[in-house]
Amino acid sequence: MELDPLLLSRLQFAFVVSFHAIFPVFSIGLASYLAVLNGLFYRTQNPAWERLAIFWTRVFAVVFGMGVVSGIVMSFQFGTNWSNFSLAAANFLGPMLSYEVVTAFFLEAAFLGVLLFGRGKVPQGVHLFASIMVAIGTFISAFWILAANSWMQTPVGMEFVDGRFRVTDWSEAIFNPSFPYRFTHMVLASFLTGGFVVAGVSAWYLLIGRDVEANRKAFSMCLWLLLVLAPTQAVVGDLHGLNTLEHQPTKVAAMEGNWETRQGAPLLLFAWPDQDAQQNRFELGIPGLASLILTHHLDGELPGISEVPPAEQPPVWIVFWSFRVMVAIGFAMIAVAVAGLWLRLKGRLFGVHAHRGYLQLMRLMSVTPFLAVLAGWFVTETGRAPWLVYGIMSQAEAVTPSLTGGMALFTLVGYGLVYAVVFWAGVLYLTRVVRQGMLPEAPHEDEVERPKRPLSAAHVPFEDAASQPGRS
C-alpha cells in the first residue's frame, strides 16, 4: 500500500494545529484576567486579589510556554510539507508572520519577565503596566494570525499571476470579508475558555473549603462574565455563519448536511451523511428551521453540497458533526451561566446553602471550551477542503512535490510522540500547581520577628549554615 503524502501532511498539520490551538486560546483569556486581577489589587490593595493574581500567573506561565513550544513547529511545516504554497503566498503570509513576531511576540517577551518575576521588585504600577502589555500582545498576535487564516478562507486584495499571489491592496487583504467575524469569534472563545477554567478551579476550591474568600471573588466574577459572553458568542456565531454562507456556501451546506439546493431546509438534529451516495442515510430535523436561521425566512433557499463536484466537496461527516458538537457546547455554556444567575438570586451560590451539584458541574464545564474550540477549528479548516486558498489553490497543488509518504509518516509519528511527552509533562505540572493552590499569605512587616543583629556564616555553626537558604 502506497502512503499518500498529501493525506499524511494534512493529518500532520491538523494534529499540530489542534494541539497548539488549545494553549493560545486559553492564554489570551487568562492574560486579560491577570490584567484585571492586578488592576483590582492596585486599586483596592485587597490581598485576595494579589493572591489570585500570583496563582493564575503561575498557570499562565506554563500555558504560555507550552503554546510557544507547540507553535514553533507550524512555521517549519510550511516549508517542509507545503513548499508550493509557501512560494505562492510568500508575498502575503511572509509579512503577516513577521508582523506577528515583531509587534506581538517581542512585546509579550519584553514584559513577560516583569509580569512573572517583577512582583515586589518593581513598583505596583509598573507591574500592572507589564500585565496589560502582555494581554495586549496576545490580542495583537491573534490579530495577525487570524488575518492570515481569514485571507486563506476569503482571499481578496490580491491577484494570482504565474502561480504567485501578488498583493494589490494590503488593507483589503488584511481586513478581508471574514476577518472581523473570525477575530471576534476567537476572542470571545478565549474569554469563555479562561472564564470556564477559572470558574471550574474556583468551584473545586470552594467544594473543599480552600481559600474561600479569594475563590468566591473569582467564581462570582467569572459567572458574571460567562452570563454576558456566552449569549454574545451565539449572536456572533450566527453572524459568522451568515458571512460564511455568502463566501463559502459549500461549507455551510456541509455544516447543515444539505445535499440538494432547496427552500425551507430543515435544521438537522441528527443525520448520517453518506458522501458516496450524496445523501443522508438517516436524518431527524426541524422543518424549515435551517432556512429561517440562515436566511431569516422559513422558505429561504439554501445551497446544496451537490452544487459542486465530489472532488471539490469537503469531508461532510466531519464538518457536520463538529459543527453540532460546537453548537451543543455553546448552548450548554449559556444554560449553566443562566443557572448560576438563578442560584445567585436564590442565595444558593455560596455559603452553607451553596448548591454543591452546580459547583461539581462547573468543574466538568472547565473542559468544554477546549472541545468547542477544537470542534470549531475542524469546521473552519475541514470545511474549506479541498482548497488551501479558497477557490484558487487546492491542497494537492500546495503540497511539497518532493515529499514522500514515508517522510510524512515519519515526521507525523515523531511529532505525535514528542507532543505526547510535552502535553503529559505540562498537564502534570499544572495539576500540581492547582493541587498546591494559592501560596500562604506573607506576614506583614510588623509581624516578622527580626534578629537583633545580622547573621553571617561566622556566627552560625557549619551544620546550620549549610541549611540556610542560598548556602551550600
Side-chain angles (χ1 to χ4, degrees):
M1 180 180 178
E2 186 176 355
L3 298 174
D4 184 3
L6 173 60
L7 176 61
L8 291 171
S9 294
R10 291 173 59 188
L11 290 175
Q12 177 178 303
F13 202 84
F15 168 74
V16 172
V17 171
S18 299
F19 184 93
H20 170 71
I22 61 178
F23 299 110
V25 77
F26 184 25
S27 62
I28 291 172
L30 196 54
S32 296
Y33 180 61
L34 289 176
V36 172
L37 290 177
N38 286 313
L40 289 170
F41 174 65
Y42 180 79
R43 180 179 179 182
T44 66
Q45 295 301 301
N46 186 331
W49 296 123
E50 183 183 31
R51 298 180 68 220
L52 283 169
I54 293 173
F55 171 75
W56 286 107
T57 299
R58 295 166 63 200
V59 175
F60 174 79
V62 179
V63 174
F64 185 86
M66 294 180 70
V68 171
V69 170
S70 61
I72 291 175
V73 176
M74 291 191 299
S75 58
F76 289 101
Q77 285 187 89
F78 285 124
T80 58
N81 295 66
W82 307 98
S83 61
N84 280 353
F85 168 70
S86 299
L87 181 63
N91 290 330
F92 179 73
L93 287 187
M96 292 296 99
L97 298 180
S98 299
Y99 295 156
E100 193 266 340
V101 172
V102 173
T103 63
F105 192 76
F106 284 0
L107 180 67
E108 293 169 329
F111 289 99
L112 184 63
V114 180
L115 173 64
L116 298 181
F117 308 110
R119 188 180 299 275
K121 299 180 179 64
V122 299
Q124 285 187 18
V126 175
H127 190 265
L128 172 61
F129 180 75
S131 65
I132 294 173
M133 289 298 100
V134 171
I136 292 175
T138 62
F139 284 111
I140 297 175
S141 178
F143 175 90
W144 293 115
I145 296 301
L146 288 170
N149 180 265
S150 298
W151 176 83
M152 294 164 65
Q153 304 277 349
T154 51
V156 293
M158 58 80 199
E159 57 182 6
F160 191 58
V161 180
D162 298 330
R164 303 283 187 92
F165 291 98
R166 297 178 181 176
V167 179
T168 58
D169 189 324
W170 279 100
S171 61
E172 186 180 9
I174 294 172
F175 298 97
N176 54 82
S178 65
F179 169 73
Y181 302 96
R182 295 180 192 280
F183 181 71
T184 305
H185 199 52
M186 182 56 69
V187 168
L188 290 177
S190 299
F191 286 157
L192 287 170
T193 301
F196 270 104
V197 172
V198 173
V201 173
S202 301
W204 180 63
Y205 285 143
L206 291 175
L207 282 168
I208 63 177
R210 183 188 297 181
D211 298 297
V212 174
E213 178 191 358
N215 285 293
R216 281 184 62 169
K217 291 178 178 294
F219 191 63
S220 177
M221 181 193 301
C222 288
L223 288 187
W224 285 121
L225 176 76
L226 301 177
L227 184 64
V228 174
L229 293 190
T232 303
Q233 181 71 307
V235 175
V236 173
D238 178 66
L239 296 174
H240 187 12
L242 296 177
N243 177 264
T244 305
L245 176 63
E246 178 182 357
H247 297 281
Q248 296 176 300
T250 305
K251 179 188 291 187
V252 173
M255 291 160 55
E256 299 297 335
N258 189 43
W259 292 95
E260 302 293 338
T261 300
R262 55 177 167 172
Q263 296 178 331
L267 178 65
L268 299 181
L269 304 177
F270 179 87
W272 190 258
D274 186 340
Q275 197 143 5
D276 292 333
Q278 296 285 288
Q279 64 179 6
N280 296 324
R281 289 298 180 185
F282 174 81
E283 59 182 41
L284 175 65
I286 303 174
L289 189 55
S291 290
L292 179 63
I293 293 173
L294 289 168
T295 68
H296 299 162
H297 297 284
L298 276 173
D299 59 348
E301 183 176 275
L302 290 187
I305 306 169
S306 299
E307 290 292 315
V308 299
E312 297 181 9
Q313 297 174 3
V316 176
W317 70 273
I318 297 178
V319 180
F320 180 85
W321 281 110
S322 296
F323 178 69
R324 272 143 190 79
V325 169
M326 179 184 65
V327 171
I329 293 176
F331 278 115
M333 290 178 175
I334 296 174
V336 297
V338 173
L341 176 63
W342 184 82
L343 290 173
R344 188 191 297 270
L345 297 176
K346 292 292 183 179
R348 299 196 59 194
L349 199 57
F350 301 113
V352 295
H353 301 294
H355 196 295
R356 297 183 65 84
Y358 181 76
L359 296 178
Q360 293 284 7
L361 176 62
M362 291 304 297
R363 287 183 60 198
L364 298 176
M365 287 297 296
S366 63
V367 181
T368 57
F370 300 103
L371 301 178
V373 168
L374 289 177
W377 196 249
F378 293 161
V379 172
T380 297
E381 297 304 301
T382 308
R384 178 179 53 183
W387 304 105
L388 200 59
V389 180
Y390 193 79
I392 301 176
M393 173 176 277
S394 69
Q395 295 167 341
E397 295 170 332
V399 75
T400 300
S402 61
L403 186 68
T404 65
M407 295 164 60
L409 179 61
F410 177 79
T411 52
L412 174 59
V413 173
Y415 287 144
L417 294 175
V418 172
Y419 277 37
V421 174
V422 172
F423 184 78
W424 177 82
V427 170
L428 179 62
Y429 183 77
L430 285 174
T431 302
R432 290 181 176 179
V433 170
V434 172
R435 286 180 176 175
Q436 181 182 9
M438 283 177 274
L439 299 178
E441 288 190 73
H444 296 288
E445 290 188 11
D446 55 357
E447 297 176 354
V448 178
E449 183 178 353
R450 289 181 172 82
K452 293 182 180 179
R453 62 179 181 174
L455 293 176
S456 67
H459 299 90
V460 182
F462 177 80
E463 294 81 5
D464 293 335
S467 66
Q468 297 299 312
R471 301 184 184 274
S472 60

